[in-house]
């Protein structure tokens, strides 16, 4: 089963794009604080790219920077080989539901 829920702060305006086939999609970056402090006693955070398709991409236009966003979605693995022969492994979050919490 490939399900995830993630809550974080929107740190930049979502980038709205269109594929060659005319499908609308958006990419946004969420800053997500870790649940535990590091050795210095401060909490670190991670940045995640969220991909939104079709209607969700259209909704992303209205999300204010700095707001907390909840994402329900799935993790998608994209693997490819570069021209120099090096393999690249990349994970992305594909949103299925988006909720603005603040």
């Amino acid at each position: 089963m490939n399900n995830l829920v993630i809550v974080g702060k929107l740190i930049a305006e979502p980038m709205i794009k269109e594929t060659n086939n005319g499908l609308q999609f958006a990419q946004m970056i969420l800053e997500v604080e870790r649940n535990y402090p590091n050795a210095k006693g401060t909490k670190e955070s991670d940045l995640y790219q969220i991909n939104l398709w079709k209607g969700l991409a259209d909704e992303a236009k209205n999300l204010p920077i700095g707001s907390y966003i909840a994402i329900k979605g799935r993790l998608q693995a994209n693997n490819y080989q570069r021209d120099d022969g090096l393999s690249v492994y990349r994970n992305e979050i594909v949103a299925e539901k988006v909720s603005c919490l603040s």
Side-chain angles (χ1 to χ4, degrees), residues 6-14 28-34 45-50 63-71 99-102:
I6 190 167
V7 176
K9 184 169 56 172
L10 184 64
I11 63 167
E13 187 173 318
M28 63 183 186
I29 305 295
L30 287 186
E31 179 181 34
V32 179
E33 190 175 87
R34 295 181 184 176
S45 58
D46 298 298
L47 300 177
Y48 293 100
Q49 177 178 305
I50 314 295
L63 296 173
I65 297 171
S67 61
Y68 282 87
I69 308 293
I71 301 289
S99 299
C100 186
L101 304 177
S102 64

Side-chain angles (χ1 to χ4, degrees), residues 39-78:
K40 295 179 182 178
T42 58
K43 289 188 178 180
E44 296 178 7
S45 58
D46 298 298
L47 300 177
Y48 293 100
Q49 177 178 305
I50 314 295
N51 294 334
L52 305 103
W53 292 92
K54 300 178 184 174
L56 288 179
D58 194 45
E59 290 177 27
K61 297 174 188 175
N62 301 321
L63 296 173
I65 297 171
S67 61
Y68 282 87
I69 308 293
I71 301 289
K72 179 187 176 295
R74 62 184 169 83
L75 193 61
Q76 178 174 301
N78 292 318

Side-chain angles (χ1 to χ4, degrees), residues 1-4 72-75:
M1 184 179 331
N2 185 354
N3 289 308
L4 65 84
K72 179 187 176 295
R74 62 184 169 83
L75 193 61

Side-chain angles (χ1 to χ4, degrees), residues 15-34:
M15 295 186 328
I16 311 297
K17 301 179 181 182
E18 194 171 293
T19 67
N20 294 335
N21 297 336
L23 283 177
Q24 188 177 34
F25 73 99
Q27 293 178 319
M28 63 183 186
I29 305 295
L30 287 186
E31 179 181 34
V32 179
E33 190 175 87
R34 295 181 184 176

